[in-house]
Amino acid sequence: MPKQVDHRERRETIARALWRVVEQRGVAHLTMREVAQEAGISHGALQHYFASRGAMLSFAMDFAAEQTSLRVGRGLQELGDRPHPRDVLRLMLTETLPLHADARATSRMSAAYVLEALHDEDVHARARDGLLQGRALVEQLIRQAIADGHIPPDRDPATETNLLLALTGFTPLIELDVIDTRDVLTAVDQYLDRLFTGEGQQ
Amino acid sequence: MPKQVDHRERRETIARALWRVVEQRGVAHLTMREVAQEAGISHGALQHYFASRGAMLSFAMDFAAEQTSLRVGRGLQELGDRPHPRDVLRLMLTETLPLHADARATSRMSAAYVLEALHDEDVHARARDGLLQGRALVEQLIRQAIADGHIPPDRDPATETNLLLALTGFTPLIELDVIDTRDVLTAVDQYLDRLFTGEGQQ
């Protein structure tokens, strides 16, 4: 089905153009007109692919989440057959932080999406669903790590999950050059070391 | 000097109008024209107070930071004469999270400001300075708490400061209803309990 492939490719091209607008010009310029211009297509052609600005944003955000998952997936392959849960959580956390160009693009897209969600119910619902899915995945990993004796059994899985998710708050601190990459990774490792203190107790 | 007072009052009225635009309509609507309209003044009158959009945003952000400081100050008074450093840090952290209407307004203003900083060097420099000042204050509190035996001496003050600041990452999770207020406070308290494990060792 070459036509569907083309369709998908074209939507991805548009999503990447949208990211560039967010990254280079800012969310104030996130209009269908500017995205069409950046993608090198007409406003009418863009409307053929996305009925509304919200639909375009949601696709761009889904695509960003997909790209982040792919990066995490590649990182997991490098961790080998039976990766340690600490390394898996570290990878998931650090790939959502703007520590390199690809992650920066998806991270800025996410920040713009959250602000958009405050004024658009559909975007809010979709953003929430995405985060809840991510949250469930992290909680599952933490529960398993507790069961396997890597994390002490007195830790509450839900609370530990919430704290790990909150550490994405490094994002604005990195973007504004308040904390440098090395110090962010030091803090993340320190945090994970204190979470994974159940080693060898099995 | 009633004239200066008026000037200040007028600027604050404009800053509050700007917050409302950010909160109710979103950062895409953050133009001088829409802020003037929300504040009930002419575009020309707004330009009399702020030479540029960046200057207007910076004042609104300074004002937001000031309001947050005032809230923290009021909270400190309630903590009594010699507040425990754990309570001080808890207050500072929770007042930056969108847990009530005032904090929500200043928090959304901050999020918009960070996105703006990515495309505006002046805004970036000012936002960075503000965060570095806040960071220095938190680090000073943590160093003192270590010196006073409230936090174990093997904790690195810089890393602990960075981790505490990163916990502002609860913000999007609260805004998108991923984690409710009660669970956020549970996680914050759990985190602080584990930081302040030096009690009584003095």
Side-chain angles (χ1 to χ4, degrees):
Chain A
M1 295 176 288
K3 196 138 185 230
Q4 279 202 12
V5 172
D6 283 357
H7 193 67
R8 166 82 196 179
E9 262 179 27
R10 178 57 76 90
R11 284 163 70 98
E12 288 189 7
T13 303
I14 294 167
R16 286 190 192 278
L18 189 152
W19 291 5
R20 285 196 300 279
V21 170
V22 173
E23 208 183 348
Q24 291 161 13
R25 277 176 272 164
V27 69
H29 292 270
L30 204 47
T31 61
M32 290 192 78
R33 203 164 293 280
E34 293 213 29
V35 171
Q37 204 175 2
E38 178 70 31
I41 62 174
S42 71
H43 190 199
L46 179 63
Q47 284 171 322
H48 170 72
Y49 288 96
F50 299 106
S52 68
R53 184 170 172 274
M56 176 182 75
L57 278 173
S58 287
F59 178 76
M61 188 59 220
D62 288 348
F63 184 58
E66 217 177 282
Q67 292 299 308
T68 306
S69 294
L70 283 175
R71 288 201 309 274
V72 171
R74 280 194 297 271
L76 281 178
Q77 282 188 322
E78 287 168 28
L79 291 177
D81 272 356
R82 294 189 59 199
H84 194 287
R86 182 194 182 286
D87 298 333
V88 176
L89 288 173
R90 185 182 195 275
L91 182 67
M92 288 172 73
L93 175 57
T94 55
E95 277 301 334
T96 64
L97 298 177
L99 295 173
H100 55 77
D102 279 2
R104 197 151 42 235
T106 46
S107 161
R108 290 182 181 186
M109 178 66 223
S110 302
Y113 201 64
V114 171
L115 276 176
E116 194 72 20
L118 305 179
H119 316 282
D120 184 319
E121 276 182 33
D122 287 344
V123 171
H124 190 283
R126 289 179 69 117
R128 180 170 186 266
D129 285 350
L131 278 169
L132 283 173
Q133 273 179 35
R135 197 199 164 285
L137 192 60
V138 173
E139 185 165 340
Q140 194 188 330
L141 281 163
I142 289 181
R143 282 186 189 279
Q144 191 59 48
I146 293 173
D148 292 343
H150 297 298
I151 295 176
D154 61 348
R155 297 286 185 118
D156 176 56
T159 298
E160 298 306 333
T161 303
N162 293 342
L163 284 169
L164 261 180
L165 262 64
L167 289 185
T168 52
F170 277 120
T171 298
L173 302 166
I174 296 166
E175 290 279 22
L176 294 175
D177 301 317
V178 173
I179 308 182
D180 67 25
T181 302
R182 204 194 48 190
D183 290 343
V184 168
L185 295 178
T186 299
V188 166
D189 282 325
Q190 184 69 256
Y191 186 84
L192 290 173
D193 284 348
R194 289 203 295 261
L195 179 59
F196 282 86
T197 49
E199 305 301 344
Q201 292 180 359
Q202 220 181 356
Chain B
M1 293 177 291
K3 197 140 185 230
Q4 278 200 14
V5 172
D6 282 357
H7 192 67
R8 165 83 196 178
E9 261 179 28
R10 179 56 78 91
R11 284 163 69 98
E12 288 188 8
T13 303
I14 295 167
R16 286 190 192 277
L18 189 152
W19 290 7
R20 285 198 299 278
V21 170
V22 173
E23 209 184 348
Q24 292 161 12
R25 276 177 273 164
V27 68
H29 292 271
L30 204 46
T31 61
M32 290 191 79
R33 201 164 293 280
E34 293 214 29
V35 171
Q37 204 176 0
E38 178 69 31
I41 61 175
S42 72
H43 191 199
L46 179 64
Q47 284 172 322
H48 170 71
Y49 287 97
F50 299 106
S52 69
R53 185 170 170 275
M56 175 182 75
L57 278 173
S58 287
F59 178 76
M61 188 60 220
D62 288 349
F63 184 57
E66 217 177 282
Q67 292 299 308
T68 306
S69 294
L70 284 174
R71 288 201 308 273
V72 171
R74 280 195 295 271
L76 280 177
Q77 281 187 323
E78 286 169 28
L79 290 178
D81 273 355
R82 293 189 58 199
H84 194 287
R86 182 195 182 288
D87 297 333
V88 177
L89 287 172
R90 185 184 195 275
L91 183 66
M92 289 171 72
L93 175 58
T94 54
E95 277 301 334
T96 64
L97 299 176
L99 296 172
H100 55 79
D102 280 2
R104 198 152 41 235
T106 48
S107 161
R108 290 183 180 184
M109 177 66 223
S110 303
Y113 201 65
V114 171
L115 275 177
E116 194 72 20
L118 305 179
H119 316 283
D120 183 320
E121 277 182 32
D122 287 344
V123 171
H124 189 282
R126 290 178 68 118
R128 181 171 186 266
D129 285 350
L131 278 169
L132 283 173
Q133 274 178 35
R135 197 201 163 284
L137 192 61
V138 172
E139 184 165 340
Q140 195 188 329
L141 281 164
I142 288 182
R143 283 186 188 280
Q144 191 59 47
I146 292 174
D148 293 342
H150 297 299
I151 295 175
D154 61 349
R155 296 286 185 118
D156 176 55
T159 298
E160 298 307 333
T161 303
N162 293 342
L163 284 169
L164 262 180
L165 262 65
L167 290 184
T168 51
F170 277 120
T171 298
L173 302 166
I174 295 166
E175 290 279 23
L176 293 175
D177 302 316
V178 173
I179 307 181
D180 68 24
T181 301
R182 202 194 49 188
D183 290 343
V184 167
L185 295 178
T186 299
V188 166
D189 282 325
Q190 183 69 255
Y191 186 84
L192 290 173
D193 284 348
R194 289 204 294 261
L195 179 59
F196 284 84
T197 50
E199 305 301 342
Q201 294 181 358
Q202 216 179 358

